[in-house]
Amino acid sequence: MHSQRCGHRHSSELEDALDYSQMSTGIFIEELCKKTVEKETRALWGQKCEHTFVGLMCGIMDQMISSKATLGHALLIDCRSLECEEVPLTDPGVSVVVCNSNVKHTLTGSEYPDRVRQCKAVASAIGVKALRDATMDSLNSVKDKLSDVEYRRGRHVITEDNRVLECKDALISKDYPNAGALMTASHASLRDDYEVSIPEIDFLVELANSFPGVFGSRITGGGFGGCTVTLVKTENANALMEKMSQDYYAKYAVNVSSFITTPGSGAHPVDIS
């Protein structure tokens, strides 16, 4: 799950690893000093480190999931209030397959700030603080004041926020066909309106969605390469990974890295005595 309103991991695999390392380091210092820091505070400190020392003006989702994740649950994050809701994801009949395309397109460095600027311009035109406060009706009311690109950026964020909340409800009720359809719609929006996908990722998503037992698939991460995430019946997961490996190599002469994943815990002390 991810959006301006709610989130689940929206950055590169390297940043995700660094964020988990940050939270683990925080836990280590807390244990040494016999101090307990609120998980939200720890996440905010991690974000500040990236802003101040790394120079990466990232959001808060990666830090929050690294700090607050609960075993067997997805995490719905309100990125404004930092309120979270645990979403059970423990059905043994359903698996999440992550497939790394092992492709990263060269970027100019302006892609992320350009989209931030475009979204802020749309919010300003509508007269709201952020696009999470907007609706499609309010977006359409100022369409003539926006460029085509700005309009599509706004449409992605507004509809994605709605999809996140609908997907939460679908997962809670175990309506996996609907959850998967929302994932696939999310990918289409990220591809066409937010324009952060690439042909290799689109190929993997389309391949997955044509495979038996797959409910839905989409890009995950920061875009312009990286990974797909697919919701699939557990009985079909291994065959799906084999199919993705074979067909992707046949088309691009690149090996994918696929694995089945389950929601784990955030950074926490481990007793090794």
Side-chain angles (χ1 to χ4, degrees):
M1 301 181 202
H2 84 292
S3 74
Q4 265 197 347
R5 186 194 307 269
C6 324
H8 171 239
R9 299 184 52 182
H10 187 69
S11 68
S12 70
E13 297 91 296
L14 176 59
E15 187 188 347
D16 287 338
L18 289 174
D19 289 325
Y20 196 88
S21 176
Q22 284 178 348
M23 298 305 105
S24 297
T25 301
I27 291 287
F28 177 67
I29 294 172
E30 290 173 40
E31 289 293 302
L32 282 179
C33 299
K34 304 301 181 184
K35 300 286 186 180
T36 301
V37 176
E38 292 293 329
K39 294 178 180 180
E40 295 83 355
T41 300
R42 190 187 307 133
L44 287 168
W45 286 352
Q47 182 191 40
K48 187 174 182 180
C49 286
E50 296 206 39
H51 288 184
T52 305
F53 299 105
V54 181
L56 177 65
M57 301 306 293
C58 62
I60 193 63
M61 292 191 293
D62 293 329
Q63 292 84 358
M64 287 291 287
I65 191 68
S66 297
S67 185
K68 294 201 67 172
T70 300
L71 183 67
H73 293 75
L75 190 67
L76 184 73
I77 305 170
D78 186 316
C79 295
R80 177 177 287 169
S81 69
L82 300 188
E83 293 179 357
C84 296
E85 181 179 349
E86 296 176 355
V87 181
L89 197 58
T90 56
D91 189 334
V94 177
S95 291
V96 176
V97 169
V98 175
C99 181
N100 189 341
S101 68
N102 288 316
V103 171
K104 192 72 176 178
H105 281 203
T106 301
L107 305 179
T108 65
S110 68
E111 289 80 6
Y112 178 72
D114 281 351
R115 281 159 181 76
V116 171
R117 175 180 51 78
Q118 291 155 355
C119 289
K120 286 183 176 179
V122 178
S124 178
I126 295 173
V128 294
K129 182 178 180 179
L131 288 176
R132 62 174 286 161
D133 304 310
T135 65
M136 280 305 301
D137 285 342
S138 62
L139 176 65
N140 288 329
S141 72
V142 298
K143 185 175 183 179
D144 59 344
K145 300 178 182 178
L146 305 172
S147 69
D148 176 66
V149 170
E150 289 172 336
Y151 177 79
R152 288 188 288 111
R153 300 294 190 258
R155 180 170 61 188
H156 166 70
V157 175
I158 293 168
T159 57
E160 185 76 344
D161 277 352
N162 292 333
R163 280 188 290 269
V164 168
L165 298 177
E166 290 176 29
C167 190
K168 177 205 72 171
D169 293 337
L171 289 174
I172 290 174
S173 62
K174 298 187 178 182
D175 184 358
Y176 301 122
N178 188 30
L182 290 162
M183 291 173 64
T184 300
S186 174
H187 180 78
S189 183
L190 287 160
R191 180 193 65 213
D192 301 333
D193 282 352
Y194 217 56
E195 297 181 290
V196 294
S197 190
I198 59 173
E200 292 90 339
I201 291 291
D202 295 338
F203 176 82
L204 288 171
V205 168
E206 291 167 10
L207 175 61
N209 280 324
S210 69
F211 197 81
V214 168
F215 298 108
S217 184
R218 52 156 287 168
I219 188 174
T220 189
F224 305 103
C227 301
T228 64
V229 59
T230 301
L231 190 67
V232 58
K233 291 181 179 178
T234 299
E235 63 188 32
N236 298 101
N238 286 316
L240 169 65
M241 291 189 290
E242 182 65 25
K243 178 67 171 175
M244 294 173 103
S245 178
Q246 292 176 351
D247 288 16
Y248 188 79
Y249 187 84
K251 185 170 180 65
Y252 294 108
V254 176
N255 289 311
V256 297
S257 306
S258 300
F259 57 92
I260 299 171
T261 186
T262 56
S265 301
H268 60 282
V270 176
D271 186 357
I272 58 173
S273 59

